[in-house]
Amino acid sequence: MIQWQKSSFSNGNDGANCVEVAAPEGELLLRESDDPTRILPLTPTTLAALLHRIDPSAGARDQ
């Protein structure tokens, strides 16, 4: 069974509207909690590019 982790920003009334991530057997999977049947498989590089596209300053905060 895949263990999904919700975003730390998902709390309170937004708990049902969040992005979840899982990493079974070296894969990265992404889905929206309101439509859990649609799963997006990603590579680490693709996930990093997606996050950078959403928030270009995110990488700078990690360093």
Side-chain angles (χ1 to χ4, degrees), residues 3-60:
Q3 296 293 320
W4 292 95
Q5 181 177 349
K6 287 187 178 185
S7 167
S8 61
F9 291 101
S10 299
N11 56 22
N13 296 334
D14 292 337
N17 298 318
C18 67
V19 174
E20 299 174 327
V21 66
E25 300 179 24
E27 284 186 286
L28 288 175
L29 304 173
L30 197 65
R31 72 179 185 180
E32 285 194 53
S33 60
D34 63 345
D35 188 3
T37 62
R38 299 182 85 187
I39 298 171
L40 180 63
L42 300 168
T43 65
T45 302
T46 304
L47 180 57
L50 174 64
L51 295 174
H52 181 73
R53 177 78 175 182
I54 292 169
D55 184 359
S57 66

